[in-house]
């Protein structure tokens, strides 16, 4: 067994630190250099040195990131992109053609919905929404012979619904479709969809993978080499690749992912305990609660329940907006998964693009990305904002 094969069978934290890169042969550098180069000297016409010719096609820093995230998701190949939506668009065009059909979550991330509804639809790709937690409705939305992808988020954004990955994979495969799982909210540390039957994993690596709110990126991981060949061609042909510095930042973030996710989960649980007993909170949505309808599935397929918490206030939309404006430790902002805690109003912010559609979110909903600050400070901040 090679050293790399041995590492791929190692624990998650070991893979996060070592997979995808061997110390530099010339200098012994333990961290991949940032290869800030657009082109490479060839060993004769068509003689690529190490497989590199032009950095859109491949760059050593990006290669290290792609190998690392593939190992963390227990897939065969990883691909890094300029953003999560760039990854999604490349995947769709690699695996679908005009006239095909896709099933998407009925509470999908607003940007994903916009991609399918405003971009891919014009291209000729049809889509149908279905609740990821309702297997019968997902199966009913599938069109045998037409549906190419069953696309799920679990947990979903922002309502934190849970889809049974193993069961959804069976539905997709029975119809001749592929199961794509957006694993952004869980991260590779808390959930590995490919081991549960999914065919493709997508990430906005901007979020937990990068983890420090200093880089935008996306990733695809596949477990089938035929799929990998299609994605490789489209990644190069479409060109929305991660640059070397962005790749380096994301790879740095992945090295501490396990430590950060445990703290995110610890803090989220403290916040949930506070919110569930507050008289001005009507509902707390968190997969770790036994009252959550997807709790048993989440318990089975996730290591822990994540750092995302949504809740509905009793005073309606105006109260939700006031809570978002009053916090001081929680920063009012879009995105999620960074070390700092964020608060937002999905209906007016991240999910404004689904207003007036079947995917519209409740107006009294507040979404939290719970960071790694001192838990007591986070609870006190929310208490002031709610009162």
């Amino acid at each position: 067994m090679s050293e790399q094969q041995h590492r791929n069978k190692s624990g998650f934290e070991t893979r996060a630190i070592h997979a995808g890169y061997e110390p530099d042969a010339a200098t012994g550098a333990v961290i991949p250099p940032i290869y800030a180069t657009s082109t490479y000297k060839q060993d004769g016409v068509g003689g690529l040195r190490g497989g590199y010719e032009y950095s859109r096609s491949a760059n050593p820093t990006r290669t290290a990131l792609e190998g690392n995230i593939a190992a963390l998701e227990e897939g065969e190949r990883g691909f890094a992109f300029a953003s999560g939506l760039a990854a999604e668009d490349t995947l769709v065009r690699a695996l679908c053609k005009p006239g095909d059909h896709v099933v998407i979550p009925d509470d999908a991330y607003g940007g994903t919905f916009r991609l399918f509804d405003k971009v891919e639809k014009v291209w000729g790709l049809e889509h149908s929404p279905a609740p990821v937690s309702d297997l019968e409705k997902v199966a009913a939305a599938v069109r045998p012979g037409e549906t190419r992808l069953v696309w799920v988020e679990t947990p979903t954004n922002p309502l934190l619904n849970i889809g049974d990955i193993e069961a959804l994979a069976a539905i997709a495969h029975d119809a001749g479709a592929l199961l794509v799982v957006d694993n952004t909210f869980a991260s590779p540390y808390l959930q590995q969809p490919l081991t549960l039957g999914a065919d493709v994993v997508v990430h906005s690596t901007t979020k937990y993978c990068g983890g420090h709110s200093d880089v935008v990126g996306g990733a695809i991981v596949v477990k089938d080499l035929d799929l990998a060949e299609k994605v490789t061609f489209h990644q190069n042909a479409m060109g929305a690749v991660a640059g070397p510095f962005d790749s380096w930042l994301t790879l740095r973030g992945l090295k501490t992912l396990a430590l950060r996710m445990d703290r995110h989960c610890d803090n989220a649980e403290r916040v949930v305990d506070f919110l569930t007993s507050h008289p001005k909170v009507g509902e707390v949505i968190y997969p770790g609660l036994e009252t959550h309808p997807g709790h048993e599935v989440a318990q089975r397929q996730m290591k822990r329940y994540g750092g995302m918490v949504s809740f509905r206030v009793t005073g309606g939309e105006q109260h939700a907006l006031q809570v978002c404006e009053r916090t001081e430790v929680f920063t009012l902002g879009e995105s999620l998964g960074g070390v700092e805690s964020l608060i937002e109003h999905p209906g007016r912010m991240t999910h404004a693009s689904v207003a007036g559609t079947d995917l519209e979110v409740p107006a009294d909903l507040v979404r939290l990305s719970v960071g790694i600050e001192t838990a007591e400070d986070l609870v006190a901040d929310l208490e002031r904002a709610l009162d």
Side-chain angles (χ1 to χ4, degrees):
M1 180 183 295
S2 70
E3 184 175 1
Q4 188 60 47
Q5 288 174 321
H6 174 72
R7 285 178 177 171
N8 287 344
K9 293 184 178 296
S10 300
F12 184 93
E13 293 85 350
T14 303
R15 282 178 282 144
I17 292 170
H18 294 288
Y21 174 73
E22 296 290 340
D24 182 68
T27 66
V30 298
I31 298 297
I34 300 172
Y35 283 89
T37 184
S38 60
T39 193
Y40 306 82
K41 181 182 185 299
Q42 297 190 15
D43 296 329
V45 176
L48 309 187
R49 188 177 302 182
Y52 297 100
E53 60 177 337
Y54 185 61
S55 278
R56 172 171 38 79
S57 304
N59 175 281
T61 314
R62 193 174 89 224
T63 298
L65 169 60
E66 291 174 337
N68 186 272
I69 198 164
L72 297 185
E73 285 286 7
E74 300 193 31
E76 287 293 330
R77 285 286 307 279
F79 303 87
F81 294 86
S83 70
L85 285 170
E88 293 185 4
D89 186 37
T90 303
L91 179 66
V92 169
R93 294 180 192 268
L95 301 184
C96 299
K97 64 183 184 303
D100 284 345
H101 174 257
V102 178
V103 178
I104 65 171
D106 70 350
D107 62 335
Y109 163 55
T112 297
F113 172 76
R114 182 178 59 228
L115 176 68
F116 281 108
D117 194 58
K118 306 300 183 187
V119 179
E120 313 297 3
K121 186 176 180 179
V122 175
W123 180 59
L125 182 67
E126 297 186 36
H127 65 272
S128 300
V132 302
S133 57
D134 191 324
L135 298 175
E136 290 185 1
K137 289 185 178 179
V138 172
V142 170
R143 304 175 187 174
E146 295 181 32
T147 300
R148 179 61 175 152
L149 305 176
V150 175
W151 190 290
V152 303
E153 302 169 9
T154 181
T156 60
N157 180 6
L159 296 177
L160 303 178
N161 287 309
I162 301 296
D164 186 329
I165 295 172
E166 191 171 7
L168 289 164
I171 290 172
H173 296 159
D174 285 347
L178 301 174
L179 179 67
V180 179
V181 177
D182 183 337
N183 203 29
T184 298
F185 267 31
S187 86
Y189 178 63
L190 298 182
Q191 181 172 268
Q192 294 88 39
L194 298 180
T195 67
L196 298 170
D199 301 285
V200 186
V201 167
V202 297
H203 280 280
S204 170
T205 54
T206 309
K207 313 307 193 293
Y208 287 110
C209 291
H212 293 79
S213 301
D214 56 8
V215 61
V216 173
I220 295 170
V221 181
V222 301
K223 66 179 182 182
D224 181 273
L225 292 178
D226 288 337
L227 292 183
E229 186 176 347
K230 295 177 181 178
V231 175
T232 298
F233 174 83
H234 282 78
Q235 182 190 40
N236 182 55
M238 296 174 69
V241 297
F245 187 55
D246 290 350
S247 296
W248 187 88
L249 285 170
T250 305
L251 186 58
R252 182 187 64 170
L254 285 171
K255 291 179 184 297
T256 61
L257 179 62
L259 297 173
R260 289 185 288 105
M261 291 309 298
D262 277 334
R263 183 59 175 265
H264 284 300
C265 293
D266 289 344
N267 282 357
E269 290 168 7
R270 290 285 300 277
V271 166
V272 167
D273 286 344
F274 162 74
L275 291 173
T276 51
S277 61
H278 199 284
K280 294 184 179 179
V281 175
E283 180 186 9
V284 180
I285 306 170
Y286 186 65
L289 290 171
E290 292 185 1
T291 54
H292 189 289
H295 175 71
E296 290 185 7
V297 175
Q299 189 176 46
R300 185 170 70 245
Q301 68 188 20
M302 297 177 71
K303 183 181 178 72
R304 294 183 69 179
Y305 303 105
M308 300 301 298
V309 179
S310 292
F311 65 96
R312 301 178 70 174
V313 295
T314 57
E317 182 179 27
Q318 193 57 39
H319 186 202
L321 294 171
Q322 290 171 349
V323 171
C324 291
E325 292 168 356
R326 288 173 179 166
T327 57
E328 297 176 1
V329 182
F330 281 86
T331 300
L332 178 63
E334 298 192 3
S335 197
L336 58 104
V339 292
E340 69 292 312
S341 293
L342 298 177
I343 188 170
E344 67 122 359
H345 184 267
R348 297 281 190 97
M349 296 171 68
T350 54
H351 289 69
S353 62
V354 300
T357 74
D358 293 339
L359 281 73
E360 185 171 6
V361 298
D364 57 6
L365 186 75
V366 175
R367 192 192 75 179
L368 304 176
S369 173
V370 182
I372 65 172
E373 301 96 336
T374 305
E376 289 79 5
D377 293 336
L378 297 177
V379 169
D381 192 41
L382 289 172
E383 187 169 21
R384 285 192 299 269
L386 282 163
D387 292 342

